[in-house]
Amino acid sequence: MKDRSAIFGGVWRMLALAACWFLGLGLGGCTESPEREAAVQSEHGSARLVLYNWEEYLGRDTLDQFQRATGIEVELRTYEDDEEMVGALLSGSLEADLIILSESAASELVWGRVLAPLNRELLPNLRHVDPEIMAKLQIMGEDYKAPYLEGYTGVVVNTRHVDRSPDSWSVLWEPSLAGRVAMLNNPFEVIGAASMMLGHPLNPEPEHLGEVRDALLAQRPLLAGYLHDTEILNKMASGELWAAQSYSNDALMALEENPDLAFGFPLEGCAAWVDVFVVPVLARNADAAHAFINFVHTPEIMAEIAGELWSATPNLAAREFIDPEVLESPVVHPPQSVRDRCTYFGDFGSSESVSSRMKLWAELLSGM
């Protein structure tokens, strides 16, 4: 493994070149003179950041704003499936400096020892993040994950065809909906939903996995599949699916297209998630990766992203700048009574716990 001082050594120079951006002093005070901007471009024009992200999961102008502020060119590569990304990283076949992915997948990668701990000293804008969220993301006392956007996982139904409220995971086990039901293509979300339906925690204890397995095997014949979130969004909007496990921000977009849809937070409990930034151990430009994380957490920049994507953000300072319609949405920001029954995946506890769930996931996929 490379020496961390060598990996991160160049970041302070980049922070100095765009100090007002990186210290979160506001957009109004960050106007560079043409001479200063030219100097930035000259010094860092050859820098390149390879960023993996889901499609359309940044603000429209985020990459351009970052490049103008730092002179760092971003090569954006998109992907669809967390597990595909996990497999590529564990195999050592992926060239990436920075990845945005789900918290649960990131935890899996920590146990796979393919992520580098983040250097908090190089991320001053993380001071804007809810400290409770930062603490929940830690694994073994280390910051491997920096938060991005957050939300919840619940149930979305088509009220034309489903006469039950989407307030229970059991809707997704309804025999009358056979062939019209889908679960997310995410092992931790799927296993967590079944566990909570049975009255167990989001992260089931080993002694509960047998019962969870039985419930998921019983559900499998009802499913149209374990689908990517965008596929669920599109098929719910079109009416092809009638009930599905869904991320809250995706559900809001589907509701805009189909007013017959309704989203609910299951009473048995739901997953509260934070999509996160991670830096692979083999990143070639970890300094630029840290610079990008810090830039995104400039309050005004984060506000633009969260507003465009109808997502919540753990960046507390950004909320001052977010469109009130987004802030007041009961799906984006549910009431405390809902939040109290939602759980973050957090630390899975051990590599054995992750391994046992992945074995169950492989069994579920083998029958589809």
Side-chain angles (χ1 to χ4, degrees), residues 188 191 203-204 209 348 353-361:
F188 303 101
I191 293 169
N203 288 325
L209 273 180
F348 287 138
S353 176
V354 172
S355 176
S356 62
R357 275 176 269 188
M358 293 312 297
K359 288 178 182 177
L360 173 54
W361 182 243

Side-chain angles (χ1 to χ4, degrees), residues 321-362:
F321 306 100
I322 296 176
D323 185 332
E325 187 178 3
V326 176
L327 282 178
E328 294 166 9
S329 166
V331 174
V332 178
H333 294 285
Q336 188 64 46
S337 59
V338 170
R339 298 198 300 271
D340 286 344
R341 63 177 186 263
C342 295
T343 307
Y344 291 91
F345 285 101
D347 188 342
F348 287 138
S350 70
S351 57
E352 289 79 9
S353 176
V354 172
S355 176
S356 62
R357 275 176 269 188
M358 293 312 297
K359 288 178 182 177
L360 173 54
W361 182 243

Side-chain angles (χ1 to χ4, degrees), residues 164 169-183 197 215-227 240-244 367-368:
R164 293 182 56 185
W169 292 113
S170 63
V171 173
L172 305 178
W173 272 258
E174 177 58 55
S176 64
L177 301 178
R180 300 286 190 169
V181 180
M183 299 291 280
M197 184 186 69
L216 289 170
L217 288 175
Q219 181 199 41
R220 193 169 58 180
L222 307 177
L223 296 179
Y226 299 104
L227 306 181
E240 185 176 345
L241 289 175
W242 294 349
M368 296 303 293

